[in-house]
Amino acid sequence: MEARGIHHLGVAVDDLDEAISTYERFFGAEVEHRATVPEQGVEAASVLIGDGRVELLSSLGDETPVGKFLAKRGPGMHHVAFEVSDLRAALDSLAAEGAELIDAEPRPGLFGLEVAFVHPDSVHGVLAEVVSRA
């Protein structure tokens, strides 16, 4: 699999409004998108910082993936998202190379992206997301 680059860094936060304000004040971030996705258990904001992007994720409940992450580890780095041109081909390549896929099939993600996750055990402890434009 060849990634086009890092699409975004995902950061789990306790308070989305406070986190957006902090990133705006400290780094000049601009909100690109904001959405609530009940099926994923998150409210998220994508903020642009220069040429980069950070996805701020707040949990909609304790039993959601981000809720469990926050309970176990607290706020902080949640995942790294790599952009690819063909998500299905990327998943096939990752599986062939021995990566443990959380998502064997692409699914709808935030902000119009198609996404799939790779288990942290396969990527030296970091949850990896592979994304493409749907």
Side-chain angles (χ1 to χ4, degrees), residues 7-86:
H7 183 271
H8 66 266
L9 302 176
V11 178
V13 302
D14 287 322
D15 182 316
L16 187 58
D17 290 324
E18 182 181 335
I20 290 169
S21 176
T22 298
Y23 276 75
E24 287 172 337
R25 286 183 297 115
F26 288 179
F27 307 115
E30 295 180 31
V31 175
E32 176 184 32
H33 300 286
R34 184 170 178 161
T36 299
V37 185
E39 58 272 12
Q40 292 182 21
V42 296
E43 182 177 8
S46 174
V47 297
L48 298 174
I49 303 170
D51 293 333
R53 178 183 286 114
V54 175
E55 184 179 84
L56 302 169
L57 304 161
S58 69
S59 170
L60 295 179
D62 294 340
E63 293 304 312
T64 66
V66 172
K68 291 176 183 176
F69 178 92
L70 287 166
K72 183 176 181 180
R73 298 186 184 176
M77 186 70 161
H78 183 263
H79 67 272
V80 177
F82 299 93
E83 185 172 0
V84 297
S85 56
D86 183 334

Side-chain angles (χ1 to χ4, degrees), residues 61-128:
D62 294 340
E63 293 304 312
T64 66
V66 172
K68 291 176 183 176
F69 178 92
L70 287 166
K72 183 176 181 180
R73 298 186 184 176
M77 186 70 161
H78 183 263
H79 67 272
V80 177
F82 299 93
E83 185 172 0
V84 297
S85 56
D86 183 334
L87 186 52
R88 288 184 190 277
L91 292 174
D92 290 344
S93 175
L94 286 163
E97 290 294 327
E100 180 183 346
L101 302 178
I102 293 172
D103 300 301
E105 292 291 322
R107 60 183 163 112
L110 291 165
F111 316 123
L113 296 173
E114 193 173 48
V115 306
F117 285 90
V118 180
H119 198 282
D121 288 347
S122 294
V123 196
H124 305 277
V126 176
L127 179 62

